[in-house]
Every structure is written in C-alpha cells, then in structure tokens.
Amino acid sequence: MSVIAVIPGDGIGPEVIEQALLTLDQLRLGLDFDVLDHVNADTFLRTGVALSDEDFERASSSRSVLLGAIGDPRVGSPAYGRGVLLRLRFELDLYVNHRPAKLLHDRLSPLRADSARAVDCVVVRENTEGLYTGAGGSVHAGSEHEVALDVELSTYHGTARIVDYAFSIARREVCMVDKANAVESGGSLWQRCWRAAASRHPDKASRHLYVDAAAMQMVTDPTGFDVIVTNNSYGDILSDIASAVAGGIGTAASANLNPERGFGLYEPVHGSAPDIAGRQIANPVGAILSAGLLIDDLGHHEAAAALRAALSEAVAAGETTPDLGGSLDTRRAGEAIRARL
C-alpha cells in the first residue's frame, strides 16, 4: 500500500483537497493517506514553527505528498510559506516544477477561438535555483540609502538536469526560454546546456525564445508550444500565463518532482484564496487534476486517464463551480466528476 502524505493547508486548501481525496478513494487504488492537517497558519501563528522536523520526516518518508494551499493574510512574514513549501522543494531536491496546461473546453479560454483551439503544453520550471534561493541581502534597510541584492543562482548541474527532463517528456519539441541578451552569465550557461541536450535528443525539435517573446506568443497563439523549459522566476510567470489561457488558475495542476527518486509533491496552484474560504465555492478541478498527476506518476495510468476524462465531461456539461460558468458548489462539482468515473 502506498502512503500519501496530505497537507490540506490554509484557506480553500482543505475544501479542494477533500474532493481530491474522495475522488482517489472512488478509484480504489489501495492508497493510504497520512493527513497532516495541523500543518497550517494557525499552528505557525501559535508556535512559530512552519513545518516541524517530525512532520517533515512524515512527508519525506511517504510515497508522495498532496498539498492544498499555503498562505494566510494574518501571517506577515514569508517565513511560513518558505518553511513549508520551499523547505520541501529544496530539502527533498524537487528540482522539476511540472505545470501542464490543457484547455478543458473552448468556452473557458479568454483567447479568440482560433488561437485557443488546442492549448496543450507543459511548462517545465527549474525549481531549486534561480532567484528563489534566498541568496543576497540588503544594507541600510528602511532608509533612503537602502541597497537590496537578490542573486539569481544557476549551476551547470541544476540547469543540465532540468533541460534533460524537458526533452525526456516532450512529444515533438522543447522551447528553451531565457533572457540571454540581457542576463549574460546565466543565459550563456542555459544556452550551453540546451544545445548539449538537443544534440542528445535528435528525435525532438528544439528552439529558443527570449522570455518577453515567449510571453507574447503565449497570449497570441499558445498552440505552438509543446514543452517550455526555463528558470525559476520566468517559469513562475509563464506557467501562470499558460494556466490563464487554458481556462483559469482554478484548473491548474502542478507536480514538484525528483524523477530519480520517484518522489513528488503535487498541488493546485491557485493559492489559499482566503476571501472565499469556507464558502464552498472554490473550484476543485486543480486539486483533482493534481491528484491525477500523482497517481499517473505512481503507475496508475488507466485510472489517471479515467479521472481526466470524467473531469473533462463534467466541465463540458457545465457542471462546475461559478468561476467556470456553472452553478455548483465545491462538493457538488466534485460529485459531478465522480459520477462519471
């Protein structure tokens, strides 16, 4: 039996994770869930501890982790989010952020019909380097003489392995995105690793775009992309754009992976949405699709395909939460999907 650690988290996290777990239960895959429902902002505000060593051990010794959302407006420090999500990413070396974007129904795209006709791509974001490592600092903070420095860290090891992963999952093409014309040192490293990986994968096409051009193409004709690979900060932005043109952030799933270990942390990317928490109007699609990524990576490919098909049918029928044009609450939207399994 595979043990899955579950961190429902904050805001709408517990609401959407409940629907994801009910959906996995209905698939009868022999999964066992270790629910860490005390890892949340309430605990952090009371104790100052974001993720205890004991809870980190429970998560890291599981088969995978399913996460709802982290974030609470009562917490004024980034220490909480970094202490949970970034600790798991960095200490477990989850160097791949895998963000698929596939249009579930034509009506959901903000683009004109001909541009939205077949959005189906993956943004592969380097997840443990870049600007988010916390390297840097400031002097004279709070004064008119303040100097702030954030260091974008790229290594050959980290860059080479993320580009190789992108080629390994591509169906037809990898587009490497950087800003080498302005960020010379890191850009040169990414260019070198990309060219080397392309030579090792002659069966896959490859091309390069600067990040501004990639963003423009994403909102004019995203159908030209198969797999995009890029650094941490650019990937953060481009993956959200991809989600928006594919139906909205409420439908966006993600996986944080270490492919060599076969370990992943799976999460919807919509955040904790505290303004609608407790109202049962949160969209469970992103959480359920994240659960689908999880079971797919565990080898349950037929079950994952059935989950995606049932979800697509429910969306096509308009049996969704209001953000996707329906009138169902969170629970009934989850039930509509499970009724089609």
Side-chain angles (χ1 to χ4, degrees):
M1 179 174 288
S2 297
V3 176
I4 308 301
V6 180
I7 303 176
D10 304 306
I12 64 172
E15 299 170 40
V16 297
I17 287 297
E18 178 185 24
Q19 298 309 309
L21 295 182
L22 288 170
T23 304
L24 292 180
D25 276 340
Q26 185 160 319
L27 291 169
R28 295 180 175 84
L29 301 175
L31 304 178
D32 189 22
F33 302 112
D34 179 19
V35 181
L36 286 72
D37 54 7
H38 56 280
V39 178
N40 53 38
D42 287 336
T43 299
F44 179 76
L45 289 169
R46 187 176 67 254
T47 67
V49 176
L51 182 69
S52 70
D53 290 343
E54 178 184 352
D55 289 331
F56 178 83
E57 177 61 28
R58 285 171 63 180
S60 62
S61 62
S62 68
R63 185 65 178 80
S64 296
V65 179
L66 182 62
L67 172 68
I70 293 294
D72 191 298
R74 297 172 298 165
V75 179
S77 165
Y80 170 50
R82 293 187 68 88
V84 179
L85 187 54
L86 294 191
R87 181 182 182 188
L88 289 167
R89 285 181 182 174
F90 290 153
E91 294 191 27
L92 298 177
D93 197 24
L94 305 179
Y95 66 88
V96 174
N97 185 261
H98 179 111
R99 285 278 301 270
K102 184 173 183 178
L103 186 63
L104 296 173
H105 193 278
D106 288 349
R107 77 172 191 276
L108 301 181
S109 178
L111 303 182
R112 61 183 185 270
D114 58 332
S115 294
R117 59 189 178 277
V119 180
D120 186 6
C121 66
V122 177
V123 178
V124 173
R125 164 189 171 193
E126 202 294 315
N127 214 24
T128 58
E129 296 186 350
L131 281 171
Y132 297 173
T133 62
S138 63
V139 294
H140 309 301
S143 77
E144 61 184 16
H145 303 292
E146 181 171 353
V147 178
L149 181 66
D150 294 294
V151 178
E152 183 171 331
L153 174 69
S154 295
T155 69
Y156 176 84
H157 172 69
T159 305
R161 65 181 181 175
I162 195 67
V163 176
D164 274 333
Y165 174 82
F167 275 97
S168 76
I169 67 164
R171 294 163 296 185
R172 61 180 188 275
E173 180 193 74
V174 173
C175 179
M176 196 278 286
V177 173
D178 65 12
K179 193 62 176 170
N181 58 337
V183 186
E184 185 176 358
S185 297
S188 176
L189 175 58
W190 275 81
Q191 293 272 334
R192 179 160 67 97
C193 292
W194 165 62
R195 287 193 294 268
S199 70
R200 293 191 295 271
H201 298 272
D203 57 322
K204 308 287 176 62
S206 64
R207 62 176 167 137
H208 164 260
L209 287 174
Y210 294 130
V211 65
D212 45 354
M216 287 189 290
Q217 186 171 327
M218 185 65 74
V219 298
T220 53
D221 184 12
T223 62
F225 292 110
D226 178 21
V227 173
I228 296 171
V229 62
T230 189
N231 69 17
N232 210 332
S233 54
Y234 300 157
D236 196 354
I237 296 164
L238 290 176
S239 57
D240 280 355
I241 296 175
S243 297
V245 300
I249 203 73
T251 67
S254 77
N256 304 269
L257 306 171
N258 185 303
E260 290 74 27
R261 289 184 55 212
F263 187 91
L265 183 154
Y266 302 80
E267 56 171 331
V269 298
H270 47 55
S272 60
D275 56 322
I276 63 169
R279 296 169 57 189
Q280 280 293 320
I281 60 172
N283 187 350
V285 165
I288 293 173
L289 285 176
S290 295
L293 289 175
L294 186 157
I295 60 174
D296 217 349
D297 287 344
L298 290 180
H300 301 292
H301 306 307
E302 291 184 5
L307 181 155
R308 290 189 291 267
L311 189 148
S312 295
E313 290 172 10
V315 170
E319 296 182 358
T320 67
T321 48
D323 60 305
L324 297 186
S327 60
L328 303 183
D329 63 17
T330 306
R331 294 189 183 94
R332 290 173 62 207
E335 290 168 357
I337 294 167
R338 290 189 290 279
R340 290 170 165 80
L341 281 175

